[in-house]
Amino acid sequence: MCRLFGMTTGGPRVRATFWLLDAPDSLRSQSRRMPDGTGLGWFSLGGEPVRDRAPVAAFQDADFNSEARHVVSHTFVSHVRYASTGAPDVHNSHPFVMDDRLFAHNGVVRGVDVLDSWLTDVDRVPIQGQTDSEFVFAYITAEIRRQGDTASGLIAAVRRIAAELPIFALNILLAESGRLWALRYPDTHELWVTTPRLTEPGAQCHLGAGREEGQVKVSRHREPTPACVLASERLDDDPGWRLLDPGELLMLDGSEASSAFPFDAPAHPLTAADLSGAESTSQA
């Protein structure tokens, strides 16, 4: 399956180098099993989303490796892709950007044509790829516009998708400047969260037993900074990782974190036996 990564401090701007490149199970390491696309998204000093993506594995992508070392932001979204729908192509690589938000998805949702029919001319945003993920994001974006609130729009969109479309998995990271939403739905794939305290330059990275737990080498601030890190699999052996519960929507707003469980079980759940060969391979 594709792998998700998200991080937010809610304010202080840091690097995500440890998690993306240096952790025992970094995103770069995971990309050796997820070769079909790489993307990294962050927010500029003005709060605008920036992203760079390519249809190659992260460990082969010089831009990803450079940006992972040098970009500073309070919020990051990254993704390494194993294609299920849509060929390896830059337009099918995550994260996607719409209405100043970043989005990445892990799973399979059937009914792209139905999703497309739910978008009115007023709602419609440019869709450049062929993935179910981008159509899901377009519909979420339309519902956020209708609801006038990000959380309400996300919940409304997922509720309708879950009620009307076949779903294998719908794990989501959705980010605004300084805010991040993470959804594990239903229980098909894992999504983990940890809350390390990031320290000043020169502090020891946590790499395993015998190192100071939860400490990450970062820059551009002096005091310990709380952060929230999300990933499809635990990136190191810190015991602080927690598996999100099935159906849990974790909402991170600045330094505030809360969880909600606003979704019923999918009305049309897909099993591994229902997937095509490409889908089954990508979701293993």
Side-chain angles (χ1 to χ4, degrees), residues 115-127 135 138 142 145:
L115 275 168
D116 190 46
S117 74
W118 293 351
L119 300 173
T120 68
D121 290 340
V122 174
D123 297 329
R124 195 166 296 280
V125 293
I127 295 176
F135 279 91
R145 291 175 179 176

Side-chain angles (χ1 to χ4, degrees), residues 185-202:
Y185 184 77
D187 61 354
T188 316
H189 294 323
E190 295 179 346
L191 188 59
W192 294 83
V193 61
T194 189
T195 53
R197 291 188 68 81
L198 310 183
T199 59
E200 72 271 12

